[in-house]
Amino acid sequence: IAPTTAITGSAQIVLHPENTTVIPDGDTVLLSCVATGDLPLSISWSREGSVLMNDSQRITTTEREIEEGGTTFIRSILRICSTEANDAGVYSCIAENEADNDTATFELNVAPPEGAAQIVLHPVDSTVIPDGDTVLLTCVAYGDLPLSISWSREGSTLMNDSQRI
């Protein structure tokens, strides 16, 4: 571990997970964050802005001190067992001491189980079409059969019961 330049004493994250991490549904993920700075130094984790606590056997954090080349590092590991789709989101590792704090943010994606329906091509978020023109929206999905695609507009399902739609 080689620290980068920092203000003396300030908390600084020197190693954190990749920006986007993809983990298969049901697997265990270990996310590691390493920080340096004046002691006492601590690392906490949050998801979508909410602090994660060691409140279950499924999601836990551990922290330990590492000495290397006269520098003290704190390494924290966030462990999520039996990942689920709702574990996906933006996670943050926050290093903090009396001098300062530093945050590294990254995204965790949970891949659907084998054979689950998955959209691979979808319309862009926003499309502007002149009044009276025709628009063709395409959606491509794959997964185990039977598989179906439905369309909705403003929360209401669109029915293919007219020549217009």
Side-chain angles (χ1 to χ4, degrees):
I1 302 170
T4 55
T5 307
I7 299 169
T8 303
S10 64
Q12 182 181 25
I13 295 172
V14 294
L15 180 68
H16 57 84
E18 296 293 322
N19 188 32
T20 302
T21 302
V22 179
I23 188 79
D25 184 68
D27 277 10
T28 295
V29 62
L30 299 173
L31 302 170
S32 179
C33 187
V34 179
T36 188
D38 285 348
L39 300 177
L41 175 66
S42 65
I43 295 176
S44 59
W45 294 86
S46 68
R47 179 182 172 275
E48 306 288 341
S50 296
V51 175
L52 295 173
M53 306 296 244
N54 280 331
D55 58 358
S56 74
Q57 292 181 343
R58 205 174 72 75
I59 299 175
T60 58
T61 60
T62 56
E63 193 172 285
R64 76 177 187 144
E65 213 172 276
I66 303 167
E67 289 284 332
E68 187 176 300
T71 303
T72 301
F73 297 92
I74 301 294
R75 179 180 185 201
S76 179
I77 297 175
L78 173 65
R79 178 182 180 168
I80 305 171
C81 298
S82 302
T83 55
E84 303 168 352
N86 64 355
D87 291 323
V90 177
Y91 286 77
S92 296
C93 163
I94 304 106
E96 194 169 16
N97 65 9
E98 291 179 1
D100 201 2
N101 65 58
D102 190 18
T103 302
T105 302
F106 55 95
E107 186 174 358
L108 176 68
N109 291 307
V110 179
E114 189 68 33
Q118 192 171 13
I119 295 174
V120 294
L121 175 67
H122 54 83
V124 293
D125 290 337
S126 178
T127 303
V128 178
I129 303 298
D131 193 27
D133 279 8
T134 299
V135 64
L136 174 65
L137 302 174
T138 303
C139 179
V140 177
Y142 69 88
D144 290 347
L145 297 177
L147 180 67
S148 66
I149 296 173
S150 61
W151 291 87
S152 65
R153 179 175 179 255
E154 296 177 352
S156 298
T157 301
L158 298 174
M159 300 298 194
N160 191 12
D161 59 2
S162 72
Q163 290 182 357
R164 192 167 161 266
I165 297 179

